[in-house]
Amino acid sequence: MSDLTYSNVISSINTQTCKKCKLCIEICPCKVMGEMPDKTIAIIPEKEAICVKCGQCMAICETKSVQINGLSYETDIIELSENTIKHSEFINFLSHRRSIRNFKNKEIPDEIIEELLQSIYLTPYGSSPEKMHITIVNNRNTIEAALPFIEQFLDNVVKWVESPFFSKIIRFKKGKETFNTLKNHLYPKAKIGHYKLKNGDRITRGAPALIIFHADKEAEEHTNNSLIQATYLMLAAHAMGLGATMIGIVPAAINKVKEIRQLFKIPNNHEAIISIIIGYPKYKFKRGIIRKEQKINWV
């Protein structure tokens, strides 16, 4: 019997170093692994195709005996130190984070953004994280070039919401959630000219950088993946002394206006989900804000 058994060597378990603890079997969400008749632990051939390559089995294996195709202990798995953060410290960290809309006139070095992106590499995901795309626009001039097109898009939103015909189309194609968001939140501001550039940049708020999360329109779970990754990045920005805010207007405009899509180099078959404006905070908050609007139900 080979050391790498019950596999077509796409993914495998080293039977000589495996301690037969069966933790990989327990931890696998798809139950891809099992105990063979000879008591060795192996990947079940007919189940290998449903492996989601989450890496859990490799992360828990004490002897590094599990090898999943496409993952490496050297580049994809990290050794963990003891988790020392307390819940009270975590809550304190969250209470200090604010959505930042006032930025210093200061560029962000590319290496800082590269460090920031490390948080995204640690995010959980719904499915197929390899299909996600992140576009970084670390150039204020490029951002400003897109603003007139976004302003026009917002003017169109007013017309669409006020038109019975287009309102029905939006509800049918995008759903009631999207339509109600437009009608109840975006439309009232756009209607009174809040986003007009003559009043200043109230779209990207003068931020020096913009990060856009997007993927092929048919990519699995790309909406959830985008929001999860954006949330991690927001928290990482706070930890690094940066300020950030999620912006939904920019991706909505990208999806409707070809000029914006071209400026930001978003592929035509991609859907932009969320964007983040980021920069150095101009002001420091003295207090946190508690929000208890959610309805909590115990069952």
Side-chain angles (χ1 to χ4, degrees):
M1 181 181 296
S2 168
D3 290 347
L4 304 179
T5 59
Y6 297 104
S7 172
N8 57 3
V9 197
I10 292 177
S11 296
S12 55
I13 296 177
N14 190 318
T15 57
Q16 288 197 345
T17 58
C18 174
K19 295 176 65 176
K20 301 181 177 63
C21 65
K22 301 181 183 179
L23 288 180
C24 58
I25 298 176
E26 291 287 333
I27 210 72
C28 178
C30 298
K31 301 304 177 187
V32 171
M33 300 173 186
E35 186 177 26
M36 299 297 110
D38 63 357
K39 303 301 181 182
T40 58
I41 308 302
I43 296 166
I44 303 170
E46 58 268 26
K47 288 188 175 183
E48 186 169 21
I50 66 172
C51 174
V52 295
K53 301 185 187 300
C54 64
Q56 297 277 53
C57 54
M58 293 176 66
I60 204 168
C61 182
E62 181 180 340
T63 59
K64 299 183 178 180
S65 299
V66 184
Q67 181 58 63
I68 299 299
N69 182 44
L71 298 179
S72 164
Y73 281 104
E74 288 70 32
T75 59
D76 303 300
I77 307 295
I78 60 174
E79 299 296 325
L80 298 178
S81 59
E82 191 67 26
N83 181 12
T84 57
I85 187 171
K86 299 178 181 178
H87 178 259
S88 59
E89 296 171 334
F90 179 64
I91 294 298
N92 181 60
F93 172 77
L94 293 180
S95 69
H96 279 75
R97 193 212 67 81
R98 297 259 55 82
S99 292
I100 301 300
R101 299 178 180 86
N102 302 92
F103 300 97
K104 294 179 180 179
N105 185 18
K106 181 180 179 181
E107 296 181 357
I108 306 175
D110 287 348
E111 54 268 26
I112 295 296
I113 294 183
E114 288 176 355
E115 184 177 351
L116 184 66
L117 292 174
Q118 293 178 13
S119 63
I120 294 177
Y121 307 147
L122 298 172
T123 57
Y125 57 89
S127 179
S128 302
E130 73 280 0
K131 296 182 180 180
M132 284 301 306
H133 291 253
I134 301 170
T135 292
I136 300 162
V137 187
N138 194 17
N139 186 311
R140 182 60 199 171
N141 291 333
T142 302
I143 296 172
E144 290 182 349
L147 293 179
F149 296 107
I150 300 176
E151 179 186 48
Q152 181 60 54
F153 164 75
L154 291 165
D155 289 340
N156 288 334
V157 167
V158 174
K159 298 176 183 177
W160 297 335
V161 172
E162 292 180 347
S163 165
F165 175 74
F166 283 108
S167 291
K168 288 182 180 179
I169 290 179
I170 295 172
R171 279 193 292 262
F172 176 74
K173 294 186 68 175
K174 296 296 184 180
K176 293 181 179 180
E177 178 185 3
T178 296
F179 178 76
N180 287 337
T181 300
L182 291 175
K183 179 182 177 182
N184 299 329
H185 298 280
L186 195 59
Y187 166 77
K189 294 179 182 178
K191 175 71 173 177
I192 64 172
H194 174 76
Y195 298 110
K196 288 294 186 181
L197 295 178
K198 65 181 181 181
N199 299 320
D201 176 16
R202 295 176 179 176
I203 300 169
T204 62
R205 307 284 179 165
L210 174 70
I211 299 178
I212 305 162
F213 297 79
H214 56 100
D216 187 291
K217 296 174 183 177
E218 298 181 359
E220 304 93 307
E221 296 281 0
H222 69 277
T223 298
N224 289 337
N225 288 341
S226 295
L227 298 176
I228 293 170
Q229 292 180 355
T231 299
Y232 267 57
L233 191 143
M234 288 270 289
L235 295 176
H238 175 54
M240 294 175 64
L242 294 166
T245 296
M246 288 191 191
I247 301 293
I249 295 173
V250 173
I254 290 171
N255 294 334
K256 293 295 290 185
V257 183
K258 66 178 182 179
E259 289 86 355
I260 306 174
R261 185 181 289 273
Q262 291 169 353
L263 275 170
F264 295 151
K265 299 181 180 180
I266 308 297
N268 290 332
N269 63 324
H270 278 209
E271 178 183 32
I273 298 299
I274 195 68
S275 68
I276 292 178
I277 53 173
I278 190 166
Y280 292 96
K282 189 175 182 179
Y283 306 113
K284 184 177 181 180
F285 284 87
K286 304 296 183 182
R287 300 167 191 85
I289 303 170
I290 297 175
R291 307 188 189 280
K292 294 185 178 180
E293 293 91 346
Q294 299 84 4
K295 296 174 177 61
I296 309 298
N297 300 310
W298 294 75
V299 179

